[in-house]
Amino acid sequence: EAGVAQSPRYKIIEKRQSVAFWCNPISGHATLYWYQQILGQGPKLLIQFQNNGVVDDSQLPKDRFSAERLKGVDSTLKIQPAKLEDSAVYLCASSFGTGGFEQFFGPGTRLTVL
Amino acid sequence: DQQVKQNSPSLSVQEGRISILNCDYTNSMFDYFLWYKKYPAEGPTFLISISSIKDKNEDGRFTVFLNKSAKHLSLHIVPSQPGDSAVYFCAASAGETSGSRLTFGEGTQLTVNP
């Protein structure tokens, strides 16, 4: 079974530039999550999709972050414009259901904002 | 507001001995708890979980204990092996069957010395 795929693995940009990350979840997983993990901290949920609908985006900085999951499969997360404090690893995860279902994580995208 | 805390950033143990990783939480609505393991440059992988209706769950060398009155859980690894060296994250959810988000602790770096 293929795991969660993410690209790119690394990205370096200057502040005020824009950047986009892509995620392909495990086939058949209805729920998709984007997390931000700042160095020395645990992952923090940014947005959760159930199929192509948003379940929870309460911690997404909506002035600069946006995400979509068209057709309920792949997802993209965009930052525009980026700030220095956005430097982090962005993790995508998927699960068959919600709540107690195990979440499977991708390898993450390490973003550095200069 | 850090609702899930792992107060030990690092732990070092000898191969064959017991590793005990601790986690405290403040939100009394949490009723499902998970431990994830993370190797460098990889996403977290699920290790073991426990529902609040139990106080212990065991899976091979890994056992999770939950003390609801103290709002404390711990992960025991016996015997510890060098391959267990990784960052361990504690996570909690406020709904085993709902769409509630996972809240992660900061992580503990476990090093098992040969």
Side-chain angles (χ1 to χ4, degrees):
Chain A
E1 177 184 82
V4 176
Q6 289 188 248
S7 68
R9 292 295 310 275
Y10 304 91
K11 190 73 176 178
I12 300 174
I13 62 173
E14 295 189 350
K15 60 183 179 183
R16 291 188 287 275
Q17 286 187 322
S18 62
V19 64
F21 312 125
W22 173 83
C23 173
N24 181 240
I26 291 173
S27 178
H29 280 191
T31 310
L32 185 147
Y33 314 80
W34 282 103
Y35 289 87
Q36 179 192 58
Q37 185 181 9
I38 293 172
L39 186 65
Q41 299 181 18
K44 183 183 83 170
L45 180 71
L46 292 175
I47 189 168
Q48 176 181 339
F49 292 95
Q50 179 78 12
N51 295 309
N52 61 347
V54 175
V55 173
D56 183 352
D57 65 355
S58 58
Q59 300 187 113
L60 185 74
K62 298 181 184 65
D63 58 334
R64 298 184 300 106
F65 285 66
S66 65
E68 60 182 8
R69 190 182 184 198
L70 300 177
K71 301 180 182 178
V73 182
D74 293 6
S75 177
T76 56
L77 175 70
K78 297 179 182 177
I79 307 174
Q80 182 179 10
K83 293 185 175 181
L84 297 177
E85 57 262 35
D86 298 332
S87 294
V89 175
Y90 290 85
L91 294 161
C92 179
S94 70
S95 65
F96 182 76
T98 61
F101 286 93
E102 177 187 345
Q103 294 184 23
F104 293 82
F105 284 82
T109 296
R110 180 175 295 279
L111 173 67
T112 302
V113 182
L114 303 175
Chain B
D1 177 24
Q2 189 69 22
Q3 298 185 59
V4 178
K5 285 195 67 66
Q6 294 176 253
N7 291 313
S8 298
S10 63
L11 175 68
S12 182
V13 301
Q14 285 299 120
E15 180 178 6
R17 306 294 288 268
I18 184 171
S19 295
I20 300 176
L21 296 97
N22 294 302
C23 178
D24 296 295
Y25 62 96
T26 58
N27 189 341
S28 58
M29 297 300 292
F30 288 149
D31 61 0
Y32 192 67
F33 304 89
L34 307 89
W35 285 93
Y36 279 80
K37 179 170 71 173
K38 185 182 183 304
Y39 293 117
E42 295 182 12
T45 56
F46 170 77
L47 192 56
I48 192 169
S49 63
I50 187 167
S51 169
S52 61
I53 62 173
K54 296 184 176 181
D55 54 18
K56 176 183 174 181
N57 189 26
E58 193 172 350
D59 184 3
R61 296 186 296 114
F62 303 90
T63 303
V64 56
F65 296 91
L66 175 62
N67 183 333
K68 290 186 291 295
S69 60
K71 293 190 175 66
H72 177 84
L73 64 155
S74 61
L75 175 68
H76 292 209
I77 306 174
V78 182
S80 301
Q81 300 174 355
D84 296 329
S85 296
V87 177
Y88 289 78
F89 290 100
C90 168
S93 171
E96 186 173 356
T97 57
S98 74
S100 182
R101 75 171 75 104
L102 286 183
T103 301
F104 284 82
E106 309 94 323
T108 297
Q109 171 70 57
L110 173 66
T111 302
V112 181
N113 301 301

